[in-house]
Amino acid sequence: MAKAKNNTIKLSFDTQYAPAPESKSSAKIEAKYDLFINGKFEKPSSKKYFDTINPATEEKLSEVADANAADVDKAVKAARVAYDKTWSKMPAKERAKYMYRIARMIQERAREFAVIETLDGGKPIRESRDIDVPLVANHFFYYAGWADKLEYAFPNKKIAPLGVAGQIIPWNFPLLMAAWKIAPALATGNTVVLKPAETTPLTALKLAEIIQESDLPPGVVNIITGAGATGAAIVNHPDINKIAFTGSTNVGKMIQKAVAGTDKKVTLELGGKAANIIFDDAPIDQAVEGIINGIFFNQGHVCCAGSRLFVQESVYDTVLRKLKDRLESLIVGDPMDKNTDVGAINSKQQMENIHKYLKIGEKEGLDMYQSNCVLPKKGYFIRPTLFTNVAQSSRLAQEEIFGPVLTIQTFRTDDEVIEKANNTAFGLSAGVWTDKGSKIFNLATKLRAGVIWANTYNKFDPTSPFGGYKESGYGREGGLHGLGAYLIN
Amino acid sequence: MTRLEVLKTYKIYIGGQFPRTESGRYYTPKNKAGQAFANICLSSRKDFRDAVVAARNAFGGWSAKAAFNRGQILYRIAEMLEGRKAQFIDELIKQDSTTKQAEAEVNTCIDRLIYYAGWCDKFQQVMGSVNPVASSHFNFSVPEPTGVVAIVAPQQTSLLGLVSVIAPVIAGGNTCIVLASETKPLCAVTFAEVLNSSDVSGGVVNILTGKPGELVKYFADHMDVNSIIYCENDVETKKLIQEKASLNVKRVVLYDKIKWNTDEAETPYFIMDTQEIKTTWHPIENIGGAKAGY
C-alpha cells in the first residue's frame, strides 16, 4: 500500500521497553459456558456452542452457548416471574443493597475481570485494568444509591419501572456496557435479559457468576450468549417491555423499525464520527496527546472516538509533525503487556472491515501515513493510521470505521469548523482544544453532539450522562438522566 | 342595502409567509349542519418539504435566542391571542363549539402559552445537572433542542390541541411544521396570523392544512426532520410513523392519551420530549495544595 513520505524527525529512541506481561493466573476460564437463566447455568436448547478466541493470538479461550428463540423465551419468562414476584415488590433499600454487594464483589475480583477482558477482546491490559473494570464497579455503586431515591430524580413525575428489559451490548467495552445496562435497570426495579456480543462473552458470564454468588433473586438478571439471531429474538419477544441497545447505527435502525407498532420503549446508543477540533491557541502537546487518546484508545473501537481531526491551518504543520512523532512511539502489540498502548483488533471480521476502509482511502487518493511499528505475527493487528488531504465528502470522513484510523482536515474560522464538524449524520461526541474559555463555550454550545470534551477526551464517569444526537441514537446512559431510560414516563 | 361581508381566504403558513399550497388543491370541510367553512388548502408533500427547509433555516436563530427572549415571545403570542379572542371564538362556534366551550378553549390556550412562556428559562435549571465526576473535571449536562420537529396536531380540537403541542416544542428552542386538524382547520390559520404578529421569526412555526392520511408518511420519513409528534390513537398510523422514523433515528413522541383540556397537558416533561441532553467536560487544574480553608 502506498505510503506518504515520512517527514518526521528521526527519534533516537532505540531502547525498547522490556516485556511486562500481566499474569494470566488470576483468570479462571472454564472450557465451556452455558446460559445464565433464572439464577442457574443451563444448557442451551439449541445444543449448540460457539468458540470465543483471543484476538491477539487467535487461540480458542472457551466455548459459549448459542441461545435460540426458545432459550430467549425461557430467559424472558424467568425475568417476568422475577419482576412480578420479587424485584418490583422488594423495598428499594433492599434492591440497593444487592447492587452494592455486586459492586463490591466486582472490586474484589477486579484483576480477574481485567485479565479476561483483555484476553477475550484484545484491549490493552492497562485500559481494562485502569478504566473498564473500575468504571464497572463504580457504575453499580453509583446506581445502587439511586434505588431508594428515585422520586427525587424527576420532580412531580409519576415513576414506575417498565418491566422486563432486553439489553444487547457490543464488543468494544464488554463488561462496562453490561454495567451501563444492568445497573440503572436494576436500580429502577426492572429485570433484565442481557446478551453480550458474540466475540466477547466471557466477562459478562463471569459477571453472571458474581450475580449468582451475590444471592440476587433468580431471574432478576439473565445473561444469554449468541449472535445476531439471538439479539433479534430478544428484540421481537412480545413480553419484553424495553429494549436497550448499544451498537452500530444500522442495527439500531433495524431495531427501531422492528419494534414499531409495539409498546416497547427503546433507547439506542449508536455510532459516531466525532470531530476533534484543535485551535491554534491550544496547548499543542496536550492536544496531540488528546488526539492520540481520542482515536487510538481501545484501538479506535469506540463509538465516541475522535475520528475526524480538524486542525486550524496556522498550526497544521506543527500538529501533523508532532502527531507522526507520537504515532511512532505508540507501543502496538500484546494486549497483556502492561506497556502496550494499542492492542489487538477485536475480530478478524472487524480487521477486514478496517482494511476495506484503508483501501477506500487509497482509492479516493487520500495520503496515508502509518506507524512503522512491528506487528506481532499472529493475531489481528492494524498499524495506527493517519489520513491527510481528506475531503469533507470522503467516505473516510463520513462513515464510522471503528478502528485506529484518523482523518485530518483543516479549517480557518470558528464558523467554518462548526459547520464541518456538524456536517454528519452522527452526533455522539466532539472534542475542542483551545486556551480560550469563551471559545470553548461557543463551540460546546454549537456542536450538535451529546458529549463535548473540552481540552480532554474519552473521559467517562457513572455520574455523567452519555448518549447521542441525530443518528447516534436516543436516550442517555449514566447519571441522573440515565434513570429515565428505565422508568415509565 | 346591507353590506356584503368580506370572506377570509385561509392559506398555509411557511417561513413567515402565507402562500397557497403549491399543488393548487383545496378541500371544503363542513360543520355538523353541513355548512362549508371555507376552501382550505390541501397541502402537498412539496409544501411540507418547503416548510422543513424554512424550519431548518430558522433553527439556528431560534435555538440561539436567549431563553428569556423566547419566554417574552411566547408571552407575546398569548397577548396577541387575547386581543383576537373574539375572532377565535367565532371560528370555534362555526366549527360546532358552543359559545361557552369556545370561550373556555381560547382561555385555556392563552393561559397555556403563558405557562410555557414561563418555562423557557427555567426547565434547563430543573432538568440539567452538574455531575460530580470522580476525576478532576468540571462536568455538566444541559437540555438542548433536538432540531426540526414535525407535528400532527390533535385532530379533535381546532385551537387547543394545536397550541398545546406547539408551545412546549418552541419553548425548548425547536422549530416545527404542524399539520392542523383536518376537520377543524380554521383556528390554525388564524393562529398563524397571531404568530406572524408576535415576533416569532418566520420559519419557527410552519402550519399546513390538509389530510394526515396523506402527509403523515412524509412527515415520518423526511431525512432532515429530527423528531415527530403524533397525537392520535390510530394503531396503523403509529406503526407507520415508527417504522419510517427509523430511517434517520427520529425521536417519535406519541401523545395518544392526553386530555388536552386538563392540567395534565401542561408539564415541562413535554418540553423535554424534544430535548437532547448535552454533557460537557473540562479539566480542573489541580496544581499545588491550596484548599479553601475558611
Side-chain angles (χ1 to χ4, degrees), chain B residues 126-175:
Chain B
V126 177
M127 305 296 177
S129 60
V130 172
N131 310 309
V133 294
S135 53
S136 183
H137 292 89
F138 185 68
N139 176 303
F140 61 96
S141 298
V142 288
E144 281 189 351
T146 200
V148 172
V149 183
I151 306 172
V152 182
Q155 296 290 302
Q156 303 309 311
T157 56
S158 186
L159 185 65
L160 179 63
L162 183 90
V163 168
S164 302
V165 288
I166 291 174
V169 165
I170 62 171
N174 298 284
T175 58

Side-chain angles (χ1 to χ4, degrees), chain A residues 155 261 444 447 452 469 473 481, chain B residues 127 134 144 242 251 269 278-279 281:
Chain A
L447 293 170
I452 309 289
Y469 286 31
H481 298 88
Chain B
M127 305 296 177
E144 281 189 351
Q242 286 170 321
R251 289 80 171 115
Y269 293 104
K278 174 182 279 181
T279 299
W281 293 68

Side-chain angles (χ1 to χ4, degrees), chain B residues 2-293:
Chain B
T2 52
R3 182 179 172 275
L4 183 67
E5 190 190 355
V6 179
L7 294 177
K8 172 171 171 175
T9 310
Y10 285 88
K11 299 197 283 187
I12 55 180
Y13 186 52
I14 299 175
Q17 308 288 315
F18 289 91
R20 287 198 174 83
T21 166
E22 62 79 36
S23 67
R25 303 177 309 167
Y26 69 98
Y27 72 114
T28 317
K30 297 183 174 70
N31 65 11
K32 276 183 197 151
Q35 295 160 313
F37 308 140
N39 291 323
I40 300 292
C41 289
L42 187 55
S43 301
S44 65
R45 179 186 192 177
K46 177 73 165 68
D47 294 320
F48 172 66
R49 286 157 67 166
D50 291 345
V52 172
V53 172
R56 178 60 66 193
N57 287 338
F59 177 68
W62 182 247
S63 59
K65 269 204 172 21
F68 177 76
N69 195 209
R70 277 206 303 274
Q72 287 201 315
I73 292 172
L74 260 78
Y75 188 84
R76 181 78 178 152
I77 303 172
E79 285 181 343
M80 291 290 115
L81 190 53
E82 181 86 39
R84 293 174 67 167
K85 213 163 149 178
Q87 187 181 1
F88 282 97
I89 291 172
D90 275 355
E91 284 177 346
L92 285 169
I93 291 169
K94 260 194 215 168
Q95 297 171 112
D96 293 327
S97 290
T98 65
T99 309
K100 217 175 152 189
Q101 285 167 340
E103 280 171 2
E105 181 165 345
V106 180
N107 285 341
T108 305
C109 288
I110 296 164
D111 293 352
R112 191 153 290 169
L113 282 161
I114 291 172
Y115 174 83
Y116 282 109
W119 269 122
C120 286
D121 55 1
K122 297 170 191 69
F123 75 92
Q124 301 87 338
Q125 293 180 300
V126 177
M127 305 296 177
S129 60
V130 172
N131 310 309
V133 294
S135 53
S136 183
H137 292 89
F138 185 68
N139 176 303
F140 61 96
S141 298
V142 288
E144 281 189 351
T146 200
V148 172
V149 183
I151 306 172
V152 182
Q155 296 290 302
Q156 303 309 311
T157 56
S158 186
L159 185 65
L160 179 63
L162 183 90
V163 168
S164 302
V165 288
I166 291 174
V169 165
I170 62 171
N174 298 284
T175 58
C176 60
I177 304 97
V178 194
L179 182 58
S181 165
E182 177 183 348
T183 54
K184 298 178 175 178
L186 299 188
C187 293
V189 180
T190 309
F191 186 66
E193 294 160 15
V194 166
L195 293 169
N196 196 250
S197 56
S198 306
D199 300 330
V200 183
S201 322
V204 172
V205 180
N206 303 275
I207 298 179
L208 306 180
T209 51
K211 296 183 186 299
E214 180 191 348
L215 291 178
V216 73
K217 55 181 177 290
Y218 306 128
F219 276 44
D221 73 8
H222 196 295
M223 293 298 277
D224 202 27
V225 169
N226 299 98
S227 174
I228 177 165
I229 298 178
Y230 179 68
C231 308
E232 301 304 303
N233 206 359
D234 184 78
V235 176
E236 284 306 308
T237 307
K238 284 196 281 190
K239 185 173 183 201
L240 173 92
I241 288 172
Q242 286 170 321
E243 279 183 358
K244 292 201 175 285
S246 71
L247 284 169
N248 66 335
V249 198
K250 272 183 205 73
R251 289 80 171 115
V252 178
V253 182
L254 300 174
Y255 295 138
D256 48 7
K257 296 179 189 81
I258 307 294
K259 295 185 192 75
W260 297 104
N261 58 348
T262 67
D263 281 351
E264 73 170 27
E266 289 179 0
T267 160
Y269 293 104
F270 284 178
I271 301 178
M272 293 307 291
D273 285 336
T274 48
Q275 297 288 306
E276 308 284 335
I277 295 295
K278 174 182 279 181
T279 299
T280 303
W281 293 68
H282 196 278
I284 299 172
E285 190 173 65
N286 207 354
I287 301 171
K291 306 255 192 300

